[in-house]
Amino acid sequence: MSNRFVETGLRSPVNLTWEVTLACNLRCRHCLSSSAEPAEGELTTEEALSLVEELYQQRVFQINFGGGEPFMRPDFMQILDACHERGIMTCISTNGTLFTPELVEQLSRSRLVAIQVSLDGAKKATCEAIRGKGTYDDAVKALKLLAKSSIPTSINTVLTRDNADEIQDLQALANQLGVTLRISRFRPSGRGADNWEELRPNPAQLLEFSDWLAQNENIRTGDSFFSLTSQERQGLGLNLCGACKLTCCVGPTGKVYPCAFLQSDRFEAGDLRQNSFKEIWDDSEIFASFRGLRIHSCEDCKRFDQCHGGCPAVAYHLKEDIEGGDPECLERCVTSIAEEKQKLAVA
């Protein structure tokens, strides 16, 4: 990866996350945005369609839609159709509770859409302890409907302490349903911050998951686990944070952030009601600071070339320091376990 890419980013993002609404019919304990009711002042239909056109002009390849629950927004299909008419790839993260055969048929009309249905446990009890009663059955029903269509579909699971020992079973469930499995990292933002200590995987679970990933190259993780990536998975994805370099996040009201896990005033890069997306991408001081971000405390680590200090969002939420290094990286997990063993031995 060239130094120029790291320092300046691409001319426009390859993909971006667009949280189209905070409205949601669930109250998941690990939600990154504390979704519940629509945010005050969410983009109007006209503003949303204008943004689609601007992203098309900037040659953004893919928009990843999230929320909240995207299908709670009344004009979401209109926004989606506008993307597809311009050849923009889309991926929708959904809880699956609102799917009907008619909706799946409507979505199937485009070859440019993929869908991720959230399911946070191979066991109903595990999933529902995080997402609420009835969510397991609703998600499986949606997955079965989607599996019969032409839409590329995956289960999206957030790795937590409660479901860490069910990952192999989730892979088996995905195979049984005819979909793929994607595993995302739990990060302490939104409602997830309130339940962080209870739900965060412990170091032993993270190491075990890293070993499991090494043996399962077909499992997708995006860039969320590059700090835990073993040598066996090198080359399958990014080895550093892509925020502000090849991706970013648009919030429900049109404010732009480095990533979905840093949607706060401190990290606001700009407002689409005041500036164009191009102006924000090119000129934002926040984006420039991320492009120049260097995790110097990690440079002497033997794994630095593999993760470059890990996830700045986790470092910020846990240490209030985006330059502090990822507290859950592979090396820190090993060190933490060794220290715990030493304490037990002394005791």
Side-chain angles (χ1 to χ4, degrees):
M1 189 171 295
S2 70
N3 289 333
R4 185 177 183 279
F5 164 80
V6 173
E7 293 171 0
T8 66
L10 301 179
R11 292 177 60 184
S12 62
V14 173
N15 63 67
L16 59 82
T17 297
W18 184 354
E19 309 283 340
V20 288
T21 183
L22 284 187
C24 192
N25 55 342
L26 301 183
R27 302 292 184 269
C28 301
R29 292 164 59 211
H30 59 13
C31 180
L32 69 91
S33 58
S34 297
S35 298
E37 302 301 321
E40 183 177 349
E42 293 187 353
L43 294 179
T44 65
T45 300
E46 182 180 1
E47 289 172 327
L49 295 178
S50 294
L51 176 57
V52 171
E53 175 62 24
E54 184 174 4
L55 297 177
Y56 166 69
Q57 294 295 334
Q58 292 302 306
R59 299 184 179 182
V60 172
F61 177 74
Q62 178 170 310
I63 298 174
N64 301 317
F65 286 104
E69 169 53 49
F71 290 102
M72 292 282 286
R73 182 169 169 135
D75 60 358
F76 180 56
M77 290 303 297
Q78 189 177 352
I79 296 170
L80 203 62
D81 287 343
C83 293
H84 297 160
E85 288 167 2
R86 291 161 176 78
I88 300 175
M89 296 288 296
T90 62
C91 181
I92 308 168
S93 295
T94 173
N95 60 37
T97 61
L98 303 178
F99 275 72
T100 63
E102 293 75 21
L103 177 58
V104 173
E105 193 280 328
Q106 188 176 1
L107 291 165
S108 299
R109 296 172 189 169
S110 175
R111 298 180 179 179
L112 300 178
V113 64
I115 295 180
Q116 298 177 169
V117 179
S118 295
L119 188 70
D120 287 303
K123 299 175 183 176
K124 181 185 295 190
T126 304
C127 180
E128 295 187 350
I130 293 174
R131 308 188 66 82
K133 187 175 181 179
T135 54
Y136 180 91
D137 288 340
D138 284 343
V140 170
K141 179 181 177 181
L143 288 162
K144 288 180 177 178
L145 284 172
L146 289 162
K148 295 177 182 177
S149 74
S150 59
I151 302 172
T153 303
S154 62
I155 291 172
N156 186 52
T157 299
V158 177
L159 183 72
T160 64
R161 183 170 304 179
D162 293 349
N163 66 25
D165 63 350
E166 297 179 23
I167 298 301
Q168 184 67 50
D169 290 337
L170 276 163
Q171 184 183 31
L173 177 61
N175 292 338
Q176 176 187 332
L177 295 173
V179 299
T180 58
L181 176 62
R182 184 183 191 275
I183 304 175
S184 298
R185 187 174 175 188
F186 179 40
R187 281 173 267 205
S189 67
R191 197 176 294 119
D194 298 332
N195 297 295
W196 172 251
E197 292 301 332
E198 183 179 354
L199 291 177
R200 67 184 298 188
N202 61 45
Q205 289 174 319
L206 290 172
L207 284 180
E208 184 177 353
F209 177 69
S210 178
D211 291 339
W212 184 83
L213 275 182
Q215 305 302 316
N216 292 272
E217 292 189 355
N218 60 318
I219 300 299
R220 295 184 300 116
T221 63
D223 68 349
S224 59
F225 279 108
F226 60 89
S227 62
L228 286 172
T229 299
S230 63
Q231 187 65 42
E232 290 84 352
R233 284 182 65 93
Q234 291 304 302
L236 294 181
L238 288 177
N239 64 349
L240 79 167
C241 174
C244 310
K245 306 175 184 74
L246 56 77
T247 189
C248 64
C249 174
V250 176
T253 63
K255 294 182 178 181
V256 183
Y257 306 93
C259 78
F261 297 92
L262 291 173
Q263 295 183 71
S264 67
D265 292 344
R266 175 173 176 177
F267 296 103
E268 182 184 325
D271 189 330
L272 291 168
R273 286 175 167 145
Q274 299 176 12
N275 298 97
S276 70
F277 182 82
K278 177 175 172 54
E279 289 172 332
I280 296 171
W281 181 259
D282 288 346
D283 303 328
S284 163
E285 293 183 6
I286 290 291
F287 280 13
S289 69
F290 269 75
R291 289 164 187 160
L293 184 64
R294 300 292 183 273
I295 314 300
H296 295 298
S297 61
C298 295
E299 289 179 346
D300 292 335
C301 176
K302 63 183 180 182
R303 295 191 75 252
F304 182 72
D305 289 340
Q306 293 176 258
C307 79
H308 292 86
C311 176
V314 175
Y316 171 73
H317 285 297
L318 295 185
K319 302 194 292 186
E320 296 187 356
D321 181 9
I322 62 171
E323 298 180 352
D326 193 326
E328 291 189 328
C329 75
L330 199 61
E331 288 302 306
R332 285 187 171 92
C333 286
V334 172
T335 301
S336 177
I337 291 173
E339 290 175 347
E340 190 63 29
K341 288 182 177 178
Q342 186 174 13
K343 289 179 182 178
L344 292 173
V346 171

